[in-house]
Amino acid sequence: QGVLVESGGGLVQPGGSLRLSCAASKMTLPLYDVAWYRQAPGKQRELVASISAGGHESYLDAVQGRFTASRDNAKNLISLRMDHLTSEDTGVYYCNAKSTLMKLDYWGQGTLVTVSS
């Protein structure tokens, strides 16, 4: 069973930057599509960014150009660089690893990002 652990969340001022990390273990990360999701209070969880096992990146329109996802398969790490943050970016951010082939889907516990002055 795979395990994902997020870190890097916290309080940041509007316009600031933050980098989230997700450590994967008990899984072979190169076999998985990875993604970052977020959930704001009172709203549905939404897909923020994804990177397929083949390296294709995709981003939510609202974060396009501001957020950059990356993966380091050798180190079993998934990252999300967030720049020019606004209050609308506030929420709990979750990392995800999914293999359609193996029918496996793993989630981290989440890390809270609060954008406020």
Side-chain angles (χ1 to χ4, degrees):
Q1 295 289 312
V3 177
L4 300 174
V5 180
E6 300 98 335
S7 63
L11 176 65
V12 62
Q13 293 185 339
S17 299
L18 205 62
R19 185 174 65 207
L20 306 182
S21 296
C22 177
S25 62
K26 300 183 180 180
M27 60 192 298
T28 305
L29 192 60
L31 302 178
Y32 292 79
D33 300 324
V34 301
W36 287 96
Y37 290 79
R38 70 184 181 189
Q39 187 167 25
K43 297 184 178 180
Q44 285 192 328
R45 184 180 62 190
E46 62 182 351
L47 177 63
V48 176
S50 65
I51 310 175
S52 72
H56 176 73
E57 300 180 23
S58 184
Y59 295 90
L60 178 71
D61 286 346
V63 308
Q64 184 77 240
R66 298 190 297 118
F67 290 13
T68 303
S70 62
R71 62 188 297 170
D72 187 334
N73 289 332
K75 297 181 179 180
N76 274 13
L77 292 175
I78 309 163
S79 299
L80 182 67
R81 174 72 183 188
M82 305 182 293
D83 296 313
H84 306 291
L85 288 161
T86 75
S87 61
E88 286 69 45
D89 296 315
T90 293
V92 178
Y93 284 69
Y94 302 89
C95 62
N96 167 258
K98 182 178 181 178
S99 171
T100 301
L101 179 63
M102 296 185 290
K103 298 182 179 181
L104 295 174
D105 194 358
Y106 299 114
W107 292 87
Q109 297 273 9
T111 185
L112 177 63
V113 173
T114 302
V115 185
S116 176
S117 59

